[in-house]
Amino acid sequence: MLLHKTVGEVLRNTMEAFPNNEAYVYPENNVRKTYAEFNHETDELAKAFIGMGIAKGEHIAIWSDNKREWLLSQFASGKMGAVLVTVNTNYQEKELEYLLQQSDSTTLILGEEFKGTSYINIIQKICPELMNSKKGDIQSEKLPQFKRVIVMSENDYPGIYKWSELVEFAEQVTNEELEDRFQSLDPGDVINIQYTSGTTGFPKGVMLTHNNVVNNAQLVGEYIHLTEHDRLCIPVPFFHCFGCVMSTLASVLRGATMVVLKQFEPGLVLQTVQDEKCTALQGVPTMFIAELNHPGFGKFELSSLRTGIMAGSICPIEVMKKVINDMGAREITICYGQTESSPVITQTSTDDLIEKRVSTVGKPHPNVEVKIIDPVTGDEVKDGTPGELCARGYLIMKGYYNNPEATHAAIDHEGWLHTGDIAVMDEDGYIDITGRIKDMVIRGGENIYPREVEEFLYEHPQIQDVQVVGIPDEKYGEELMAWVILKEGASVTEEELRAYCKGKISYHKIPKYIQFTDEYPMTASGKIQKFRLRELSQAHLVK
């Protein structure tokens, strides 16, 4: 049954049920707060936002790694109705300027820096008026809606509020005023705008409602049997749905403890799971690969691990097996979806047969319709036939912010979201994602799905990770190129890899080009950027 609650109501309900449970832990800072304390903190921050003059429906952009202030802002905005606009931590000047303009954000909450990039310098370049502005009264030529900047620190910067200054604004607002705002919110309201990665064209702002994210988080938590006794290690970034829906919101809905890492580092994840006795762990495949291949992996005590989620991109079968067998996360599940679907469409179940759990993305969630269509004709295809996956239901976004044309291109007149992903459904209703429509390689008239080749190469004992892309070819139209990361200390040649393939997969699926590498171009959320790999492949062959 679907819930009809706001994000703020979710936290209040959990506080009433489990006031003394640890709500969140930041082991790097030794900060621990109960649900009663977390609820109070977010009430005060919600009052501060109201005291600053932030109206219901106003857009607040937030730009930092997984700091405590990010977590508080998520649930405070959920209580007073401002729309949280999440900003990719990797953004630079032009990207941030575009987002602030396109989203009509009035407020920016930011960390001071991220991995050597000064966020303060960037916002000062975008908004030079900041240097001479009164706090809260910015008059920007480029950003006409933009009024205020808040930094997650106690350092002084011209025109920018320090975090502690929010206390004064909270003191100006009564509990009754907060309650009036809280009660005015509707679960159908947009509460979050997340910008897609923008691999083609400009990023689009996905508008998600309380109903979208609350119900998706509820189902995700149910599938991994998350309870008030669980401790979920969260190394995935908050700015993505994996962080702020499938991790933080799912935990709060179930009364679980959020054990938060500000940034991903494989050794720190393993140490945290051990020290905090985490029962669940989230991550994209590249994160789990890095953890499994950490030189000290065998020294960590991971016996507390039971469950978690691997998602964010296609999950290699061999990696799933190792997470279950070597890490001991015997109930780990795979999720599939995208930001436009809040994000999860399908998920494996903890009691699925092991073959289904490692080789598929499961079945559609309850209250979600799925169909697989021929992308050319639009007709549904038979079981076992590849086609584009489409989804419909409560989880579909309200649309792209200020972009009706893109919204109509993504969601058809019957309400179906066209994902752009190629999927196959078996006779039992389990779905396998075989790639993106644009990733499919057509070699001499043969359709090749890179994932099939990747899965085969993953079985090679010397290979840690592999990504396959198509590149232009005069004779066949396209050829395959494999980018291979070898395990530490391993040594294998291109010729040996091709010999390994012969007689085991079709000749036309054997990569013509093989390039060894130490890393892949990645998004901040840990997704491999295949479009960049294609660009690098072509540049490499031109040399």
Side-chain angles (χ1 to χ4, degrees), residues 373-379:
I373 65 168
D374 182 314
V376 177
T377 66
D379 297 330

Side-chain angles (χ1 to χ4, degrees), residues 224-238:
I224 62 173
H225 305 306
L226 206 62
T227 74
E228 70 273 17
H229 303 296
D230 281 302
R231 301 173 68 79
L232 174 62
C233 181
I234 307 174
V236 292
F238 286 166

Side-chain angles (χ1 to χ4, degrees), residues 298-525:
K299 299 175 185 173
F300 292 99
E301 172 56 60
L302 308 177
S303 60
S304 59
L305 267 186
R306 171 184 67 80
T307 189
I309 294 168
M310 193 190 299
S313 58
I314 292 171
C315 306
I317 293 168
E318 292 304 311
V319 175
M320 264 299 282
K321 288 178 179 175
K322 287 179 182 176
V323 171
I324 292 168
N325 297 323
D326 299 352
M327 292 184 97
R330 60 197 178 278
E331 295 182 16
I332 194 155
T333 69
I334 287 179
C335 290
Y336 159 75
Q338 51 190 217
T339 309
E340 289 87 342
S341 56
S342 308
V344 178
I345 297 171
T346 72
Q347 189 170 356
T348 56
S349 169
T350 57
D351 54 6
D352 280 335
L353 294 173
I354 186 69
E355 294 79 13
K356 300 292 189 186
R357 287 180 56 210
V358 300
S359 64
T360 77
V361 293
K363 295 180 178 181
H365 269 181
N367 301 295
V368 176
E369 294 179 81
V370 162
K371 67 177 180 179
I372 297 174
I373 65 168
D374 182 314
V376 177
T377 66
D379 297 330
E380 279 195 65
V381 300
K382 295 178 181 177
D383 290 347
T385 306
E388 183 184 17
L389 188 143
C390 299
R392 184 167 68 176
Y394 79 87
L395 72 172
I396 305 305
M397 65 173 177
K398 204 155 189 175
Y400 295 116
Y401 183 71
N402 273 355
N403 199 337
E405 187 178 322
T407 302
H408 294 318
I411 304 172
D412 66 27
H413 67 283
E414 294 182 335
W416 289 99
L417 172 71
H418 291 249
T419 64
D421 288 322
I422 301 166
V424 180
M425 185 183 289
D426 67 18
E427 64 278 5
D428 298 320
Y430 288 86
I431 291 170
D432 184 22
I433 304 297
T434 57
R436 296 284 294 166
I437 288 175
K438 63 188 177 198
D439 288 341
M440 186 178 75
V441 177
I442 304 175
R443 181 191 182 275
E446 296 268 13
N447 291 354
I448 303 173
Y449 300 101
R451 183 177 181 203
E452 181 187 357
V453 183
E454 291 164 356
E455 291 289 3
F456 169 74
L457 288 171
Y458 269 117
E459 296 175 8
H460 192 287
Q462 305 296 320
I463 289 179
Q464 175 177 312
D465 204 353
V466 57
Q467 296 294 319
V468 174
V469 295
I471 56 173
D473 181 77
E474 284 187 15
K475 184 176 180 182
Y476 290 106
E478 285 186 288
E479 280 284 8
L480 295 183
M481 183 164 186
W483 289 79
V484 177
I485 296 178
L486 294 176
K487 291 180 178 175
E488 192 171 351
S491 177
V492 64
T493 66
E494 294 178 41
E495 291 72 26
E496 287 169 339
L497 279 187
R498 289 195 192 89
Y500 175 80
C501 295
K502 284 177 182 172
K504 296 176 185 167
I505 58 173
S506 300
Y507 176 78
H508 67 277
K509 295 177 184 175
I510 298 175
K512 181 177 180 180
Y513 306 102
I514 295 172
Q515 178 66 28
F516 296 101
T517 186
D518 295 324
E519 60 182 3
Y520 300 124
M522 311 269 272
T523 67
S525 55

Side-chain angles (χ1 to χ4, degrees), residues 268-298:
L268 183 59
V269 172
L270 296 168
Q271 188 75 49
T272 299
V273 170
Q274 172 185 282
D275 294 351
E276 293 293 330
K277 294 184 169 50
C278 295
T279 58
L281 174 62
Q282 313 286 59
V284 298
T286 50
M287 290 179 175
F288 281 103
I289 290 168
E291 290 151 14
L292 289 161
N293 287 279
H294 187 274
F297 176 77

Side-chain angles (χ1 to χ4, degrees), residues 116-168:
T117 295
S118 170
Y119 285 178
I120 299 293
N121 286 350
I122 288 176
I123 191 60
Q124 287 173 342
K125 285 179 184 175
I126 294 170
C127 183
E129 298 93 342
L130 193 58
M131 305 298 287
N132 300 303
S133 288
K134 181 184 173 186
K135 294 178 184 181
D137 189 29
I138 299 165
Q139 307 290 327
S140 170
E141 187 179 339
K142 287 181 184 174
L143 307 169
Q145 309 286 338
F146 199 52
K147 295 296 171 212
R148 57 189 79 82
V149 180
I150 305 164
V151 67
M152 300 175 181
S153 88
E154 291 309 302
N155 292 324
D156 286 304
Y157 300 101
I160 298 177
Y161 290 113
K162 295 186 291 190
W163 192 258
S164 62
E165 291 180 86
L166 300 185
V167 173
E168 295 173 31

